[in-house]
Amino acid sequence: MIQTDRNAPVGIFDSGVGGLTVAREIMRQIPEERIVYFGDTARVPYGSKSRDTILRYSRQIVRFLQSQGVKAIVIACNTASAYALDEVAAETDIPVIGVINAGARTAVAATRNGRIGVIGTEATVGSGIYTKVMQEMKPDIQVIGKACPLFVPLVEEGLLHDSVTDEIASRYLSVLKNKYIDTLVLGCTHYPLLRSTVRRIMGEDVVLVNPAYETAIELRDLLKKSGMNRNPEEAFEGEQYQFFVSDLAEKFRDFATSILPNEVKETRQIEIENY
Ligand code: DGL
C-alpha cells in the first residue's frame, strides 16, 4: 500500500548487522527521520547464495517492512542491491533505493587514474554490477573486483581489530595492491567496520569509498523532492528507531549498541518466512 504519511518511518534492511553502517549514516545526516531496521540474522550470509534465493528473501523483507507502514525502503546490502533492487523496486509502490549507484557515483568522481578496486561478497563481485554501473557513468573506467568472503563472518563475530582479521585482509588485498588502483569501494555494508584495517594495508593514497554516505544523501534528497521528508515538529508514537531480526535478537542488540550513536534498547525477533 502506498504510504502518504510523511511522518512514517523509513525501512532499511540487510542480511545482518552490515546495514547498520548505512542506518548510522542516515541517523547522522537526517536525524529527524524514523527508522525500521530489519537484519536477516537467521539467513546471513547472502553473499554466497543464488540470485533466486536473494530475491525471495528480499521480497519477504519488503513485505514485512511494508506491513510496518514504511514510506521508503533502503536496501542496505550490496548483495541484495545487486540481485534484487530492480525487481523489488518495480513491484513496490513506495521508493526503493540500493547502495550500489551511490557507491559507484562517488568512486567515479574520486578516481584520478581511472582504476577502481571493488571489494565485496562473492555474489556482488561475481555479478559485475559495479563495473557495469561505473562504465555506464564513464566508459573508460577500469574496475578490479575482489571477493572477500571471510570479512562478513569476521565482522559478525566482532573481530574488528584482531590479528586474524589483519592476516586475512592482507591476503585478500595483496591482489589489489599491485593493480595501481587509486580508489577502493567498500562494496559490502559490513566492510566499513574494517575500514582501519583496509586503510592500513592499502595505504593513505588510496581513496576508500563507503557507499553509505552517498546513500544517505540520496535518501534525503528523494524524500525532500517528493515532499515525504519528516516534519521534526510533529509528534509520533513509540520509538524513533525500531530493530527487527530473524534470529539472535540480543546478540544483534549488543552489536548495534556498539556501533550506533545511541543505545539500542530493544530488538524484536520475527518469523520472516511468514511474509
Ligand atoms: N552486507 C551485505 C552486503 O553488503 C552482505 C553480507 C552477506 O550477507 O554476505 O553485501
Side-chain angles (χ1 to χ4, degrees), residues 131-145:
T131 311
K132 181 172 164 280
V133 173
M134 292 198 276
Q135 287 181 345
E136 273 164 16
M137 292 171 182
K138 205 159 182 264
D140 57 349
I141 289 282
Q142 296 208 37
V143 184
I144 298 113

Side-chain angles (χ1 to χ4, degrees), residues 14-16 18-19 44-48 76-80 121 124 152 187-190:
D14 177 48
S15 58
V44 66
Y46 282 11
S48 50
C77 172
N78 287 261
T79 310
T121 64
T124 301
V152 168
C188 171
T189 52
H190 284 68

Side-chain angles (χ1 to χ4, degrees), residues 74-96:
V74 178
I75 305 185
C77 172
N78 287 261
T79 310
S81 299
Y83 284 131
L85 174 64
D86 291 348
E87 280 85 348
V88 298
E91 294 161 3
T92 313
D93 46 20
I94 55 170
V96 183

